[in-house]
Amino acid sequence: KLDVTSDYYGYLVPSRLGSAHNPGRLRTLSGLVLITEEDLARFLATFPLERFSYLSMAFRGEYDETTHHRNPQISGAVADRFIRSERLARLTGLTVGLDESPEVYAQLAQTLADPTVMPRLRQLSFYGRTGNDKPPPFDGLRARFGHRFHA
């Protein structure tokens, strides 16, 4: 088990990992932050996703100091391909944080409502801001997870 969470997000950013890290025996990971597609590629190449039963992660954009907002670097389509990965099929628990990424938020709400995606998933939590005032519809997620869905 690896838990690197803070008050808001965890701070395990895969593109900042050194080569000496060997996470081959992990079954749970809390605190993954994916900012760029490079982070996502490094995570896929480094971690034994097939072994994971629980994952707590956040899609977070690069912070722009002039606008004081985060600019998403990972698209909804890329996040969708990641979440649909067969390598994540054993997950029974997933927490997803999204910070001002309305496209990713809406895409994952739709994708995770499909019971063929992560078929063993029993508990799902979404948190964060969508970057606008209107959250995505959660009807499909509530239908799939019932009281085990938290937003």
Side-chain angles (χ1 to χ4, degrees), residues 21-63:
H21 292 84
N22 181 3
R25 298 178 62 183
L26 284 178
R27 292 189 192 268
T28 66
L29 174 61
S30 296
L32 172 67
V33 174
L34 299 173
I35 299 172
T36 65
E37 288 190 32
E38 178 188 350
D39 293 327
L40 185 54
R42 183 96 179 250
F43 178 65
L44 291 169
T46 306
F47 287 82
L49 305 182
E50 298 85 0
R51 296 178 55 95
F52 282 14
S53 61
Y54 177 77
L55 177 61
S56 174
M57 60 176 289
F59 289 97
R60 188 173 72 182
E62 291 281 351
Y63 185 72

Side-chain angles (χ1 to χ4, degrees), residues 25-128:
R25 298 178 62 183
L26 284 178
R27 292 189 192 268
T28 66
L29 174 61
S30 296
L32 172 67
V33 174
L34 299 173
I35 299 172
T36 65
E37 288 190 32
E38 178 188 350
D39 293 327
L40 185 54
R42 183 96 179 250
F43 178 65
L44 291 169
T46 306
F47 287 82
L49 305 182
E50 298 85 0
R51 296 178 55 95
F52 282 14
S53 61
Y54 177 77
L55 177 61
S56 174
M57 60 176 289
F59 289 97
R60 188 173 72 182
E62 291 281 351
Y63 185 72
D64 183 335
E65 292 189 24
T66 59
T67 64
H68 302 289
H69 290 285
R70 295 196 177 275
N71 297 317
Q73 305 295 307
I74 296 175
S75 70
V78 170
D80 180 71
R81 280 194 304 277
F82 170 67
I83 291 296
R84 289 181 182 278
S85 170
E86 285 296 317
R87 294 180 62 202
L88 294 173
R90 293 191 66 218
L91 287 180
T92 58
L94 176 64
T95 297
V96 180
L98 298 125
D99 196 6
E100 297 183 20
S101 300
E103 178 191 357
V104 173
Y105 211 109
Q107 182 64 53
L108 294 186
Q110 180 181 356
T111 300
L112 288 166
D114 180 351
T116 65
V117 175
M118 297 183 191
R120 294 183 182 186
L121 195 61
R122 299 292 172 252
Q123 183 169 354
L124 174 65
S125 298
F126 264 32
Y127 67 92

Side-chain angles (χ1 to χ4, degrees), residues 109-110 112-114 135-146 149:
Q110 180 181 356
L112 288 166
D114 180 351
F138 291 135
D139 296 341
L141 294 173
R142 286 193 177 97
R144 178 178 177 189
F145 297 102
F149 169 68

